[in-house]
Amino acid sequence: MKDVVLSRISDHSAAVAVIGMGYVGLPLAVAFAEHGFRVVGVDVDARKVALLNAGESYVEDISSTRLAPLVAAGAFRAIAGYDVLSQCDAVIICVPTPLGKTHDPDMRYVIAAGKSVAQHIHPGMLVVLESTTYPGTTDELLRPLLERGGLVAGKDFFLAFSPERIDPGRTDYVVENTPKVVGGLTPVCCEVAVALYSQAIQTVVPVSSTQTAEMVKLLENTFRAVNIALVNEVAIMCDKLGLDVWEVIDAAATKPYGFARFTPGPGVGGHCIPLDPHYLSWKLKTLNYTARFIQLAGEINSEMPRHWVTKVQDALNDAGKAVKGSRILVLGVAYKKDVGDVRESPALDIIELLRGKGALVSYHDPYVPAISHNGYGLVGEPDLAQAIAVADCVLVVTDHSAYDWPAIHRQAKLLVDTRRTSDGGDSPQRTQRTQRG
Ligand code: SAJ
């Protein structure tokens, strides 16, 4: 059975299905299609399926000009049902794994996908889970779903986990040139999964188990969350010490080894960093262990919006104004620069806190036309200069490259900067600091 599937992989006759046509699944599907495989993209959203089959991409990393030829050539097609899986040799699951309100993993999409695959699983099929999740998911949750029909994982079909490392908008590292970690339920499962990914991805890194592969991803993003929290706390300490945290970081970053540069900010947004570490702490809680770094990082990072609202309050106070009734312009609401994603963005918390204090809050963000959060909605200011002119205080939250920062600093009556835009924006390689104005 293994030799059959390996030969179908090596001669590209294997049919590959990717479940979940999002920012992870579509680039992966396109990569396999561009490397000679017939790929079917499965998604429950019929609108997405129709767009994809019309050669139209809604995922920023995949242009329609790149997708359309693959559709025309029959190398890629999308479908809203699961029946097609019966003819597939490999099925890769890329569905969301959100967190519930109490930071518990919400596995409904993985469970639904697992049940659907189970209805069409056949001997020799390779099933891979890519969704970020707690260690043990593939073996403890997905495997029993797939074995319901009587086939045995590792014996009748192959099962593996491989974490996604897609960073939307990044162009230097894409699917093909980002090393891919793969962990199999058994060594043979790993061998088959490595063989498949090696067809489309330059470097494939086998590890000893699915749990190891699941843990690798969580370490990667917990590493970021904890280091961002550290540098946020250093920013608070420097503030109390009357030091310029940016100068401290720039100088520390001249150390050519043993230091990783992170920058302070308004808090941590996005759908990875604020959430992924809680998958790990949730799992460890079931084992009666408290992941203290993750807990502390979450506390510090989620405290940053309140820290910055206090800075605005102090700045207005020094100008003899109360927050209540003051017009505050938030510059940038996306969770990080040069993207339009507002998921978990600290800007939303900051706006809510300021509104709670009676401020008249508006925002401008070239990537985000409108926002709605916890029952309020705001439309972005159309005219930046006009918005700055009428603002009692400008609060920089997202340091989009598109902004003319020196002009903004000149024009604002009062400006509070959660990033570093005073000298044209944060450029990590800068070591010589222009004297702050
Ligand atoms: N942030 C800081 N200071 C930093 C870095 C980030 O405040 O030094 C903030 C950002 O403003 C943002 C949040 O943290 O609000 C997350 O930023 P991020 O740079 O980690 O970006 P993400 O959320 O897009 O993370 C993704 C992740 N990719 C995957 O999970 C596959 C992460 O693993 C990548 O390392 C990261 O992109 C990246 O390096 O861009």
Side-chain angles (χ1 to χ4, degrees):
M1 185 171 70
K2 179 190 83 170
D3 296 340
V4 169
V5 70
L6 286 179
S7 71
R8 289 174 63 76
I9 288 172
S10 64
D11 68 14
H12 296 176
S13 61
V16 179
V18 178
I19 298 177
M21 287 290 100
Y23 77 90
V24 173
L26 183 60
L28 185 66
V30 165
F32 278 115
E34 288 176 340
H35 284 82
F37 289 92
R38 280 176 301 115
V39 183
V40 58
V42 178
D43 201 289
V44 293
D45 185 337
R47 282 176 303 113
K48 287 181 178 174
V49 167
L51 281 170
L52 293 174
N53 286 329
E56 289 173 43
S57 170
Y58 45 82
V59 169
E60 68 172 306
D61 291 351
I62 298 293
S63 66
S64 299
T65 46
R66 187 172 165 196
L67 175 66
L70 296 171
V71 174
F76 172 80
R77 66 192 172 97
I79 196 161
Y82 287 94
D83 295 354
V84 67
L85 299 184
S86 309
Q87 289 90 44
C88 289
D89 301 282
V91 179
I92 304 174
I93 303 172
C94 302
V95 296
T97 44
L99 277 184
K101 283 282 171 236
T102 52
H103 276 172
D104 290 346
D106 176 353
M107 304 307 288
R108 76 180 80 172
Y109 301 109
V110 171
I111 291 167
K115 285 178 178 172
S116 302
V117 173
Q119 287 169 358
H120 305 285
I121 199 164
H122 55 74
M125 183 187 273
L126 166 66
V127 181
V128 185
L129 178 61
E130 290 215 353
S131 309
T132 302
T133 185
Y134 60 84
T137 302
T138 306
D139 191 7
E140 300 158 13
L141 178 69
L142 183 57
R143 179 159 65 119
L145 292 175
L146 298 173
E147 292 183 331
R148 267 191 186 161
L151 294 183
V152 177
K155 176 175 168 292
D156 302 314
F157 65 93
F158 308 101
L159 182 59
F161 181 86
S162 178
E164 57 89 0
R165 282 176 167 172
I166 303 282
D167 180 23
R170 190 182 274 275
T171 52
D172 52 351
Y173 288 104
V174 293
V175 174
E176 294 84 349
N177 70 347
T178 302
K180 199 86 166 78
V181 170
V182 176
L185 184 75
T186 66
V188 171
C189 294
C190 187
E191 182 186 351
V192 174
V194 166
L196 177 67
Y197 281 111
S198 300
Q199 293 289 330
I201 297 173
Q202 290 161 18
T203 308
V204 181
V205 182
V207 292
S208 60
S209 67
T210 59
Q211 294 88 341
T212 301
E214 289 158 341
M215 186 65 178
V216 164
K217 171 70 180 185
L218 295 178
L219 170 59
E220 288 169 9
N221 282 357
T222 300
F223 167 79
R224 291 187 70 74
V226 168
N227 278 285
I228 294 164
L230 169 64
V231 81
N232 277 330
E233 186 168 47
V234 166
I236 293 170
M237 291 191 263
C238 284
D239 189 47
K240 294 184 184 307
L241 290 166
L243 300 176
D244 176 349
V245 66
W246 293 97
E247 182 182 13
V248 170
I249 291 168
D250 281 352
T254 61
K255 183 179 179 190
Y257 54 86
F259 182 77
R261 188 181 192 280
F262 287 85
T263 55
V268 170
H271 53 282
C272 303
I273 308 308
L275 307 180
D276 294 353
H278 293 286
Y279 271 90
L280 186 54
S281 53
W282 174 85
K283 176 66 180 178
L284 270 296
K285 212 177 292 173
T286 68
L287 303 172
N288 293 324
Y289 181 82
T290 302
R292 287 162 293 174
F293 269 109
I294 292 172
Q295 210 163 336
L296 180 58
E299 285 166 15
I300 291 176
N301 287 333
S302 51
E303 192 50 34
M304 293 313 286
R306 195 173 301 279
H307 167 78
W308 284 107
V309 166
T310 305
K311 300 300 278 182
V312 168
Q313 205 159 355
D314 294 347
L316 284 169
N317 193 49
D318 291 348
K321 293 180 181 174
V323 173
K324 192 180 173 89
S326 287
R327 304 168 76 99
I328 298 174
L329 174 67
V330 171
L331 270 197
V333 290
Y335 81 89
K336 70 176 182 179
K337 71 173 165 182
D338 305 343
V339 300
D341 192 342
V342 295
R343 280 178 290 185
E344 307 292 323
S345 173
L348 301 176
D349 300 319
I350 288 172
I351 290 171
E352 194 173 353
L353 288 168
L354 288 170
R355 287 165 57 95
K357 291 179 179 296
L360 305 173
V361 186
S362 59
Y363 85 88
H364 180 279
D365 188 315
Y367 295 87
V368 183
I371 57 172
S372 65
H373 181 62
N374 285 357
Y376 75 83
L378 273 180
V379 175
E381 291 297 315
D383 180 332
L384 177 61
Q386 167 68 15
I388 293 173
V390 303
D392 296 304
C393 179
V394 172
L395 174 60
V396 176
V397 175
T398 314
D399 48 342
H400 290 309
S401 310
Y403 281 127
D404 178 353
W405 290 113
I408 289 168
H409 280 257
R410 281 195 304 273
Q411 199 192 347
K413 287 195 273 296
L414 186 63
L415 186 143
V416 174
D417 191 355
T418 71
R419 309 278 184 170
R420 171 172 62 183
T421 58
S422 52
D423 41 8
D426 176 29
S427 51
Q429 68 278 4
R430 175 185 287 116
T431 49
Q432 301 308 322
R433 296 261 300 104
T434 50
Q435 196 51 42
R436 285 169 78 82

